[in-house]
Amino acid sequence: FPKDGFQMENALGRGDALLGMTYHGAYANFEENEKGSIEVGKMADFVILDNDILTVSESRIRGTQVVATFIDGKLVFSKRVN
């Protein structure tokens, strides 16, 4: 990989990348009323991460781990011991 990345002048910020994978993806599929953001009445498919990927240092993003996964509001995976 190039030291400074590929076409960094076209790179997205973290917030824009997250929106592209969530709300904007749902909007592109005409599903923004059902998914794409966490709101009352929408499908609750989401993960809980051990780092805030919007603010953690770039060097720690790759090491971010999934702590829990919810599908339709139900816990389907958890690393935590009860």
Side-chain angles (χ1 to χ4, degrees), residues 49-68:
L49 306 174
D50 66 351
N51 287 316
D52 180 347
I53 59 172
L54 295 177
T55 61
V56 72
S57 67
E58 285 185 26
S59 64
R60 292 184 56 200
I61 293 174
R62 287 184 77 162
T64 298
Q65 299 287 311
V66 175
V67 174

Side-chain angles (χ1 to χ4, degrees), residues 3-82:
K3 179 183 171 213
D4 296 324
F6 294 96
Q7 299 180 354
M8 293 307 293
E9 66 276 9
N10 296 319
L12 294 174
R14 296 179 196 190
D16 288 333
L18 183 59
L19 279 171
M21 296 294 168
T22 56
Y23 183 77
H24 293 161
Y27 182 84
N29 285 312
F30 305 99
E31 298 175 325
E32 70 274 14
N33 294 320
E34 294 86 35
K35 53 176 107 170
S37 59
I38 298 175
E39 298 179 60
V40 174
K42 290 188 174 185
M43 299 173 85
D45 297 348
F46 61 94
V47 295
I48 297 174
L49 306 174
D50 66 351
N51 287 316
D52 180 347
I53 59 172
L54 295 177
T55 61
V56 72
S57 67
E58 285 185 26
S59 64
R60 292 184 56 200
I61 293 174
R62 287 184 77 162
T64 298
Q65 299 287 311
V66 175
V67 174
T69 302
F70 290 78
I71 297 177
D72 202 20
K74 296 176 182 69
L75 179 66
V76 296
F77 169 79
S78 177
K79 280 190 171 181
R80 297 190 178 183
V81 178
N82 293 342

